[in-house]
Amino acid sequence: MDGQHNTLITTGNSIENDKAAEVAIKLFYGTSGVYELPTTVLAPGKQTWVDVGRLIRDQVPDRKGQLLPPGVMEGSYEIKDLTNHQVGYLYEGKLITDKTFGHATYGCALCCEYGGVGYDGFYLTPNPLYGTPGGGGQFNAWALNQCTGVDDPVDAYSYSSSNTSVATVTAVGHTSFVGAGTSTITGFAKLQSTQNPSCRPQPYQAPAPTTVQVPEHIVVLGDTQATQNCGAGPSTLARRITYVVDDTNGVRMQTPFLLKENVPTNIKRSCNNTTVQTGATCTPNLSYAPNLMGEFQDFLSLGCPSSQNVVPCGYQFANQQWQWCPGTGSPTSIGTVGPVNVQNTVINVDGNTLGFTPGTTFPK
């Protein structure tokens, strides 16, 4: 800028906004120069001005102590609303004057828009959301910022549920799981949009399915046995049964749940007088190997006998049953396996010693 040229930039907070806006203005020059003005808080209906020529002539430092070089004659600028980042409540304009020939040019910037044709502009996560009755989850809203090409978190002003007997949702997106089934949670937001070139807020909505599952029965996925080497002592057998847990519709569980093994807790192994570790308390199924959604393993093992004089040896359950622990109420059966007799030479589960066929189910 010089005595013949100047640029004035203005921005204001619309009276349609119901709160003050913190405004950040940056000037860009040269290949990488950035001049950051101090942020300004504008009440609804108020505005601020930037006299670029005065900043250069008077060598006014910016918020980081940087100066605009005296010879700068061109550049660009950015105005950002740090309070209402997803809507267009700021208005702006600039006036460029050239006294050489008496020219004055008015212009305005483009807003950084969200959404628009060809983009998944506004969406909710997680999508889908799974849970069990008594639990809950939080939806978060996102939109594609077309200036940066990056998805930004945005504020949704309302949420609704298509089936409140399955799931309810608060105004800020927290979902409570009520009963088995599927509900569509819809979020609403106002965003700047390419569909409205004046940068006024454009209403958006986005659906996300929510499925509430109730664990109903177990199904054998695999059943393997291996010999445990005990050195100089007699070897023993170990058996690993992998179960899949299906819901009331026969669909594999897609959400963690609490699992309980309904067996006595004071059973001792006669081989070495150690206590059998059972799942007699409600435990997340993902705490069991193989730590996969909708699966758990039952590992039946004796360990090594304390001496050769105690074989054959082992332990037994009169009736092994697996249960689901709901958020409220008593545990319910998802499969009664039957009697379990674990010995160092053979492991008998409900009369089966060779291994269950994948797909085997059990009464509840």
Side-chain angles (χ1 to χ4, degrees), residues 31-330:
T31 56
S32 59
V34 181
Y35 183 93
E36 300 184 33
L37 282 86
T39 60
T40 301
V41 177
L42 299 177
K46 299 300 182 180
Q47 65 184 47
T48 185
W49 289 81
V50 178
D51 186 337
V52 181
R54 188 186 70 81
L55 296 178
I56 296 175
R57 289 192 307 272
D58 297 347
Q59 288 293 276
V60 180
D62 73 354
R63 60 190 294 265
K64 295 183 178 179
Q66 301 295 317
L67 302 175
L68 285 169
V72 171
M73 294 294 293
E74 61 182 21
S76 59
Y77 64 97
E78 174 190 90
I79 301 174
K80 182 176 290 188
D81 186 341
L82 302 179
T83 306
N84 310 284
H85 62 275
Q86 69 192 51
V87 294
Y89 287 119
L90 293 185
Y91 61 87
E92 65 82 40
K94 64 178 177 292
L95 180 66
I96 302 173
T97 60
D98 183 348
K99 295 182 180 180
T100 306
F101 301 104
H103 288 171
T105 304
Y106 172 80
C108 63
L110 295 175
C111 62
C112 290
E113 295 143 339
Y114 293 81
V117 178
Y119 293 90
D120 184 15
F122 173 57
Y123 62 95
L124 304 178
T125 59
N127 187 342
L129 176 65
Y130 288 95
T132 57
Q138 177 65 46
F139 279 105
N140 297 297
W142 298 82
L144 174 64
N145 185 326
Q146 293 192 27
C147 283
T148 63
V150 175
D151 289 345
D152 291 340
V154 297
D155 296 325
Y157 64 84
S158 181
Y159 286 86
S160 65
S161 171
S162 67
N163 190 343
T164 55
S165 66
V166 172
T168 60
V169 63
T170 67
V172 294
H174 181 76
T175 302
S176 298
F177 307 132
V178 180
T182 299
S183 176
T184 298
I185 303 299
T186 303
F188 301 84
K190 290 182 179 180
L191 309 170
Q192 296 171 1
S193 168
T194 54
Q195 300 176 28
N196 193 329
S198 65
C199 291
R200 294 173 66 86
Q202 181 80 15
Y204 278 81
Q205 68 179 51
T210 295
T211 298
V212 180
Q213 295 180 288
V214 173
E216 203 272 339
H217 61 272
I218 58 175
V219 182
V220 174
L221 181 64
D223 190 349
T224 60
Q225 299 189 50
T227 300
Q228 182 176 356
N229 191 330
C230 293
S235 60
T236 61
L237 284 178
R239 183 170 175 177
R240 191 184 302 272
I241 306 175
T242 303
Y243 296 101
V244 171
V245 182
D246 287 347
D247 67 9
T248 50
N249 293 316
V251 178
R252 179 171 173 157
M253 292 295 295
Q254 299 297 313
T255 185
F257 58 92
L258 295 178
L259 185 68
K260 179 182 179 181
E261 184 182 13
N262 188 25
V263 293
T265 59
N266 58 351
I267 301 297
K268 296 283 188 176
R269 299 180 178 93
S270 61
C271 301
N272 43 36
N273 201 37
T274 58
T275 301
V276 177
Q277 299 298 314
T278 65
T281 58
C282 296
T283 305
N285 73 295
L286 292 179
S287 298
Y288 289 78
N291 312 113
L292 295 176
M293 197 70 73
E295 291 186 23
F296 72 94
Q297 289 182 350
D298 183 19
F299 185 58
L300 303 170
S301 173
L302 289 172
C304 291
S306 56
S307 73
Q308 297 188 29
N309 297 326
V310 297
V311 292
C313 59
Y315 67 90
Q316 62 182 2
F317 299 138
N319 190 36
Q320 185 192 48
Q321 183 185 76
W322 293 98
Q323 299 177 333
W324 165 55
C325 302
T328 58
S330 302

